């Protein structure tokens, strides 16, 4: 049964990908719900968003739902980011390990564009409006058990999400995320990850429909030494050119079981926007 579920999960992103999907630089700005690209979690952002294989906390629901299976106990992550003028972005994620039942996660993302003055076709003020975006997700992940060392401990995950965007009118749709992470190979040092995110129906404002920012991500995470992590991702986003991300992390153990971490990341998508 689990093998059948795994096969369906791995095939779903390919089957669901729209035939008219465009993954080129000439299609920048052609997708809806762009706030879904803003990221989540200080650790992942500090690694340059190279988190597909490294995801192992509550924000795995955003980056790769398979990473939920690596959460120990219960874990929460909250973030608030102030942008230009009165705009801001908030997210909140929670993950819970369920033992033999796998792991579950829930998350919310919210972006507010603040208050914007509105005018009619003649330039006469008609008051103000407050554009905003919202996404709510529920996910589940589990580990595979196999006699093969190449598969034993691999994780699969999936999440469903509700996406809503409000400008003067409101559009909404449903989407899904799919992910997989390999076991830790090479003595626990190397892990691979694969994810397909924001796979779903178009969002329709009045008569105009726009696709979601679907992205396919392939990543690797390597621990060359016990306190070091190096991660790299290759991403193919809908509505944009492919890009790469990489990051390194050093974890310094402190007394009492605490630790301090330093991270450095680079993302070619962010660099091209400068």
């Amino acid at each position: 049964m689990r093998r059948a579920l795994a096969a369906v999960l791995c095939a779903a992103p390919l089957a669901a990908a729209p035939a008219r999907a465009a993954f080129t630089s000439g299609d920048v700005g052609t997708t809806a719900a762009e706030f879904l690209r803003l990221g989540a979690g200080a650790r992942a952002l500090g690694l340059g968003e190279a988190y597909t294989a490294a995801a192992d906390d509550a924000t795995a629901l955003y980056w790769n739902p398979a990473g939920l299976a690596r959460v120990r106990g219960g874990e929460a992550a909250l973030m608030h980011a102030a942008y230009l003028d009165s705009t801001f972005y908030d997210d909140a994620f929670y993950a819970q390990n369920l033992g033999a039942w796998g792991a579950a996660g829930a998350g919310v993302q919210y972006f507010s564009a603040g208050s914007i003055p509105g005018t009619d076709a003649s330039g006469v003020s008609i008051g103000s409006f407050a554009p905003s975006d919202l996404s709510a997700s529920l996910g589940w992940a589990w580990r595979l058990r196999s006699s093969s060392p190449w598969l034993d401990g691999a994780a699969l995950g999936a999440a469903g999400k509700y996406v809503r965007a409000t400008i003067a009118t409101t559009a909404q749709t449903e989407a899904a995320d799919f992910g997989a992470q390999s076991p830790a190979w090479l003595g626990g040092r190397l892990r691979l990850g694969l994810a397909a995110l924001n796979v779903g129906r178009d969002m329709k404002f009045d008569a105009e429909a726009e696709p979601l920012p679907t992205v396919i991500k392939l990543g690797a995470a390597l621990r060359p030494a016990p306190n070091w992590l190096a991660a790299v991702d290759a991403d193919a986003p809908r509505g944009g050119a492919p890009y790469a991300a990489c990051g390194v992390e050093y974890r310094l153990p402190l007394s009492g079981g605490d630790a301090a971490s330093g991270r450095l990341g680079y993302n070619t998508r962010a660099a091209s926007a400068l």
Side-chain angles (χ1 to χ4, degrees), residues 97-113:
N97 189 296
L98 302 174
W101 294 93
V108 176
Q109 296 170 256
Y110 179 77
F111 178 80
S112 171

Side-chain angles (χ1 to χ4, degrees), residues 40-66:
R43 186 182 186 218
L45 296 176
L47 288 169
E49 301 186 4
Y51 212 51
T52 305
D56 60 358
D57 55 26
T59 65
L61 182 65
Y62 175 90
W63 299 102
N64 183 348

Side-chain angles (χ1 to χ4, degrees), residues 67 158 189 205 219 242:
R189 295 195 301 272
F205 286 97

Side-chain angles (χ1 to χ4, degrees), residues 10 13 32 46 50 63-64 76 88 90 92-93 98 111 124-125 138 142 156-157 165 181 209 223 245 249 267:
C10 292
W63 299 102
N64 183 348
F88 65 88
D90 292 335
F93 294 91
L98 302 174
F111 178 80
V124 177
S125 174
L138 291 174
W142 74 96
L156 299 175
Q181 286 184 342
R223 290 194 174 278
E249 174 186 72
N267 188 302

Side-chain angles (χ1 to χ4, degrees), residues 140-222:
W140 181 59
W142 74 96
R143 288 181 181 269
L144 298 180
R145 294 292 177 254
S146 172
S147 58
S148 169
W150 294 99
L151 295 176
D152 187 46
L156 299 175
K161 65 174 62 173
Y162 166 76
V163 183
R164 186 189 73 196
T166 300
I167 305 178
T169 59
T170 298
Q172 56 191 10
T173 190
E174 300 80 35
D177 300 332
F178 305 93
Q181 286 184 342
S182 74
W185 296 323
L186 301 180
R189 295 195 301 272
L190 175 66
R191 190 184 305 273
L192 304 181
L194 174 67
L197 309 178
N198 306 318
V199 179
R201 299 184 302 158
D202 292 357
M203 296 190 73
K204 188 174 183 180
F205 286 97
D206 296 325
E208 190 71 22
E210 296 179 336
L212 292 175
T214 304
V215 59
I216 300 172
K217 304 167 71 71
L218 176 64
L222 176 68

